């Protein structure tokens, strides 16, 4: 019996949703630094959306004793969203210590550039053809060895008869 997961389902139903949330995080950075309530409110709403989505998704994914690729992807995305919230707090603290709006906007621009780069990098493993080849080769290797060890066990059992 050969079972294979349908990864296209997760690609369309998980990745597209997470990409939308990651794009919405840019709105937190685009909010003026002096509107800390809006910045933190939007950031918290996105973090709670990630958490609710992860809990909902947990019912659809088989429970395994390790982090799957989709788990890693969601954790990285959640971490990136958390960093945006932390950046909003840092900008607020700097504002309270007398930093000018121009300097705070420069921090926001740098943060936005780094955030977009990291968000794009987080998608590389999902679309890396090498990973698919590596998984297929591992699957063939495991299948070959399971088949051969079963055959050897059967042969050893036949010799005892």
């Amino acid at each position: 019996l050969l079972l294979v997961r349908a990864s296209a389902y997760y690609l369309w139903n998980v990745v597209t949703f997470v990409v939308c949330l990651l794009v919405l995080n840019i709105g937190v950075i685009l909010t003026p630094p002096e509107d800390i309530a809006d910045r933190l409110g939007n950031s918290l709403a996105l973090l709670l959306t990630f958490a609710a989505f992860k809990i909902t998704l947990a019912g659809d994914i088989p429970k395994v004793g390790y982090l799957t690729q989709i788990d890693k992807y969601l954790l990285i995305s959640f971490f990136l969203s958390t960093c945006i919230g932390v950046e909003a707090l840092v900008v607020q603290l700097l504002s309270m210590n007398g930093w000018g709006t121009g300097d705070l906007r420069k921090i926001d621009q740098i943060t936005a550039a780094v955030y977009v780069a990291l968000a794009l990098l987080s998608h590389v493993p999902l679309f890396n053809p090498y990973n698919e080849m590596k998984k297929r080769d591992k699957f063939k290797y495991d299948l070959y060895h399971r088949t051969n060890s079963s055959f050897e066990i059967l042969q050893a059992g036949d010799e005892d008869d």
Side-chain angles (χ1 to χ4, degrees):
L1 178 63
L2 177 63
L3 298 175
V4 179
R5 288 189 190 158
S7 60
Y9 169 82
Y10 295 106
L11 186 66
W12 289 110
N13 291 302
V14 174
V15 175
T16 53
F17 182 76
V18 171
V19 165
C20 290
L21 291 176
L22 291 174
V23 169
L24 288 174
N25 268 324
I26 295 172
V28 174
I29 297 171
L30 295 176
T31 305
E34 54 274 2
D35 294 338
I36 186 65
D38 290 338
R39 288 177 79 132
L40 289 178
N42 292 338
S43 181
L44 183 61
L46 289 166
L47 286 173
L48 290 173
T49 305
F50 266 112
F53 182 65
K54 175 69 173 142
I55 290 168
T56 303
L57 188 63
D60 291 342
I61 296 179
K63 314 259 184 295
V64 293
Y66 55 89
L67 287 175
T68 63
Q69 189 148 356
I70 205 73
D71 290 330
K72 292 174 189 174
Y73 173 67
L74 288 172
L75 285 172
I76 290 169
S77 299
F78 187 80
F79 175 75
L80 287 172
S81 290
T82 303
C83 288
I84 295 298
V86 169
E87 190 267 350
L89 285 173
V90 168
V91 166
Q92 177 62 22
L93 289 173
L94 294 174
S95 174
M96 291 169 49
N97 286 325
W99 284 51
T101 305
D103 293 334
L104 298 176
R105 275 299 183 199
K106 185 64 95 178
I107 292 171
D108 280 345
Q109 290 170 352
I110 292 168
T111 301
V114 170
Y115 173 78
V116 168
L118 290 175
L120 289 173
L121 280 174
S122 73
H123 290 83
V124 170
L126 296 176
F127 300 103
N128 185 355
Y130 175 73
N131 277 350
E132 287 303 315
M133 290 184 332
K134 191 168 70 172
K135 276 193 265 184
R136 241 180 315 199
D137 290 345
K138 182 182 179 326
F139 176 73
K140 287 178 186 175
Y141 176 83
D142 289 347
L143 185 62
Y144 174 77
H145 285 286
R146 283 187 197 141
T147 306
N148 281 347
S149 53
S150 299
F151 181 68
E152 290 170 9
I153 291 169
L154 287 176
Q155 279 185 328
D158 289 341
E159 291 174 2
D160 293 337
D161 291 336

